[in-house]
Amino acid sequence: PFPTKPPPFERQGFELSEILDLTPALRAEALAAASMASDIAVARGYVNALLPPPISDGPVRAAWTFQPCAALGSDAFGYHHDGDWFCAYILDVSGHGVGAAMHSVSVMNVMRQQALPGTDMHDPAAVLGALNDMFDMDRHHGMYFTMWYGVLHLPSRRLAYAAGGHHPALLHAPDSGRVGKLPGRGAGIGTIPG
């Protein structure tokens, strides 16, 4: 047995027209998917525009990085300076995707506009109670959220906070470098009928 020369190479592969079915139905499906991706990108931009800017000077400073775990996240936070008070919150809507992100945006807009009639925004427990009543999960497609809400009185340096199903917030003491947990307990917002 002697080695022999192999046969000449044959053309292999396919023409694009042989493997791509560019039927009108598939083309429409591809265009719809591209449109949806574009809409989600616009929605992500809207959600990001609702987040507050970092604060680099003054009695309270805030720096952050926001990286949602999905294309359109349902986590959010916000803060604002209100005279002698600094108010801040972080929330996480149950689930992921467009529905959860829409719910998150609804809560963010209520908090940004302080649109809780008859509620003292400097009383964290009252704020979470009012949100629980406003966002009852039975009226919001079974969605609820967890939230930590804190209010710092700047002259006295007293922090009041409440947590609704959210893990403890962390407090960093710049003088010592220590980081401590701010424990809290309470049910998720929207889970307890008002």
Side-chain angles (χ1 to χ4, degrees), residues 42-172:
V42 168
R44 183 174 40 250
Y46 176 70
V47 170
N48 289 344
L50 295 178
L51 299 174
I55 302 171
S56 58
D57 60 352
V60 176
R61 295 185 181 129
W64 51 266
T65 300
F66 184 66
Q67 184 64 44
C69 65
L72 190 57
S74 60
D75 303 329
F77 65 92
Y79 47 79
H80 68 277
H81 194 206
D82 179 16
D84 287 341
W85 304 89
F86 183 80
C87 306
Y89 69 89
I90 184 167
L91 71 94
D92 182 8
V93 175
S94 62
H96 300 285
V98 175
M102 290 173 61
H103 198 58
S104 180
V105 164
S106 296
V107 178
M108 289 173 70
N109 281 326
V110 166
M111 294 302 292
R112 288 176 61 218
Q113 297 167 20
Q114 299 179 34
L116 295 169
T119 303
D120 178 0
M121 295 301 288
H122 300 140
D123 180 349
V127 169
L128 294 191
L131 288 169
N132 183 72
D133 293 344
M134 183 178 280
F135 290 97
D136 183 330
M137 67 188 288
D138 290 338
R139 295 189 317 260
H140 290 273
H141 200 59
M143 290 190 200
Y144 68 94
F145 57 97
T146 65
M147 184 175 206
W148 183 92
Y149 180 69
V151 178
L152 175 64
H153 184 244
L154 297 171
S156 68
R157 297 184 61 154
R158 182 176 187 280
L159 175 67
Y161 65 90
H166 207 71
H167 55 79
L170 301 176
L171 180 65
H172 174 251

Side-chain angles (χ1 to χ4, degrees), residues 1-7:
F2 294 98
T4 60
K5 183 177 176 182

